[in-house]
Amino acid sequence: MFRRSLTLTGLSAALIAQPALAQQGPPGGTPYSSVPSVPIQRCANLGNTFEQPAGMPWGGVMPMKADLADIKAQGFDTVRFPIRWSAYAKDKAPYTIDLAFFAKVDQVVGWATDAGLNIIVDLHHFEEIYAKPAAHRAELVALWGQIAEHYKDQPPSVLFEVLNEPNDKLDNATLEPMLVDVLATIRRTNPTRKVIMGGQFWSGISSLASFDPPKDPNVIATFHFYEPFAFTHQGASWVKDPPPAPRVFGLPGDEEWMETMQKEVLAFEERTGVPLFLGEFGAIDSANLAERARYTDTVRRTAEGLGVPWCVWSYDNTFHIHRDGQWIPVMLKALGLPPESTAPTTAPTTGASAP
Ligand code: GLC
């Protein structure tokens, strides 16, 4: 349904609204439905809240009930919730997850659901498996056995994401059989839940060329897009030899990355028939705010032009779109929020004088 021609006529073509696709969109919504089986349009990552090593804050603001309601009110329909599950499980079989930790996750899942948001329960930062895939395969399956059982009665608005940013030794060839195992385990308790999964090399755009997710009508493939990295991660403290700041967006070659996204997304969908979700994109706070906004707007429009739903990194951490209790207006604008269909409208002028 979402297959499109591989003929590329440049970025501008991708940004032109596609009327045939737009007609399939939700009433009053933006043209997203080229990927109808993905229930997501606009998503925010709750980054650096439940994904850091246990007991080590990384600066992300812990999401509270009011945050989730506010995220929904701005026009987002989904949050992605990165969780370092492996840090809250026993390190020996059956790798039992701490129930007190489950309760904390449940609270956020409940708040999101009450707010009318989809929530992606994401297994993030399982560092051990990237370095030694075979040694940790059983643990990944066991973690998902428990998570899937725990959330099996949740509504379809709760989605699962198997493993954030496979990298190092976990290349597509090693990863794919593992994903088959994990999915089979999830399917025992959740026969039709949407399950998201990404490929090698931090699920970067290049991963799509050879990524083959398991065959299942409710699998969504994901990729992350931080290109050009020298712009999005300028001065990033967690990157070895971080690219220098300040660095603007728009140097020679920068825009070509958008064409790369376009080309790889279309090729992947054509080859596999699996819908795609852009699970992370954004630019770090050490970039100039106006440049960050311009970059965010460009990537967001490129994804939307391809019919790919997106998830910005991140709500309230080092890639802020919200800070000190307030939204950053230029970042919201760059994300096209609030969407026109929900934006407050000015009262129509009827010519009649007010009483
Ligand atoms: C990945 C990492 C996260 C980091 C983000 C931006 O999601 O897991 O920790 O903040 O990318 O670099």
Side-chain angles (χ1 to χ4, degrees):
M1 186 143 190
F2 48 81
R3 279 167 192 255
R4 271 152 283 147
S5 157
L6 269 177
T7 314
L8 294 180
T9 50
L11 177 62
S12 52
L15 298 182
I16 294 168
Q18 301 171 42
L21 302 176
Q23 280 161 16
Q24 300 161 13
T30 48
Y32 262 99
S33 55
S34 62
V35 189
S37 59
V38 179
I40 304 165
Q41 295 187 357
R42 312 170 193 92
C43 165
N45 274 284
L46 301 175
N48 294 175
T49 57
F50 279 56
E51 66 172 279
Q52 59 269 32
M56 193 190 289
W58 275 0
V61 171
M62 284 296 163
M64 304 302 284
K65 191 175 173 63
D67 293 283
L68 276 311
D70 192 16
I71 289 170
K72 170 74 179 177
Q74 295 306 317
F76 293 95
D77 54 36
T78 304
V79 286
R80 178 171 178 264
F81 192 20
I83 304 163
R84 192 182 288 238
W85 287 104
S86 56
Y88 299 91
K90 295 266 189 283
D91 57 7
K92 300 225 161 28
Y95 306 103
T96 307
I97 297 172
D98 177 12
L99 284 180
F101 183 68
F102 253 133
K104 288 186 187 166
V105 175
D106 292 352
Q107 199 172 37
V108 179
V109 170
W111 289 336
T113 307
D114 290 350
L117 289 163
N118 303 310
I119 181 163
I120 301 166
V121 174
D122 162 42
L123 192 146
H124 215 88
H125 283 311
F126 189 3
E127 309 292 353
E128 302 85 345
I129 203 169
Y130 310 139
K132 292 187 178 166
H136 294 279
R137 181 173 175 154
E139 185 175 354
L140 182 69
V141 174
L143 291 175
W144 273 110
Q146 295 170 75
I147 301 166
E149 168 69 30
H150 190 86
Y151 293 115
K152 66 174 193 268
D153 297 324
Q154 290 293 321
S157 55
V158 177
L159 295 83
F160 295 157
E161 183 169 336
V162 173
L163 182 62
N164 181 65
E165 297 189 350
N167 62 80
D168 196 5
K169 305 277 184 341
L170 203 45
D171 58 11
N172 283 346
T174 314
L175 174 70
E176 285 162 10
M178 225 182 249
L179 295 176
V180 170
D181 279 5
V182 172
L183 188 65
T185 302
I186 292 174
R187 287 289 173 248
R188 271 186 225 129
T189 48
N190 293 256
T192 57
R193 191 170 302 282
K194 300 285 181 202
V195 181
I196 299 172
M197 43 188 84
Q200 66 189 15
F201 198 68
W202 293 272
S203 302
I205 189 70
S206 67
S207 66
L208 296 181
S210 63
F211 184 46
D212 273 310
K215 302 275 173 282
D216 179 296
N218 288 300
V219 158
I220 298 167
T222 190
F223 68 102
H224 293 179
F225 192 84
Y226 286 114
E227 308 296 352
F229 193 78
F231 172 72
T232 64
H233 281 69
Q234 53 188 283
S237 59
W238 62 97
V239 171
K240 190 167 170 277
D241 302 325
R247 197 269 199 199
V248 296
F249 172 59
L251 297 186
D254 285 1
E255 289 279 351
E256 282 161 31
W257 279 110
M258 305 306 142
E259 294 181 20
T260 300
M261 188 208 297
Q262 186 184 17
K263 180 169 149 283
E264 295 297 336
V265 162
L266 294 174
F268 177 84
E269 291 184 349
E270 190 79 16
R271 181 175 65 79
T272 67
V274 178
L276 277 170
F277 166 56
L278 169 53
E280 287 186 21
F281 76 103
I284 194 168
D285 292 346
S286 38
N288 168 283
L289 180 59
E291 297 290 313
R292 286 181 66 214
R294 208 157 53 78
Y295 173 80
T296 302
D297 182 81
T298 303
V299 177
R300 191 261 305 174
R301 285 176 190 270
T302 304
E304 289 183 356
L306 290 162
V308 171
W310 49 259
C311 200
V312 65
W313 188 272
S314 179
Y315 171 56
D316 203 324
N317 74 329
T318 45
F319 291 51
H320 289 90
I321 59 168
H322 181 273
R323 188 171 206 159
D324 300 328
Q326 301 208 315
W327 294 97
I328 302 175
V330 289
M331 295 307 291
L332 276 185
K333 188 157 181 272
L335 293 167
L337 295 174
E340 275 173 31
S341 55
T342 60
T345 47
T346 28
T349 38
T350 59
S353 53

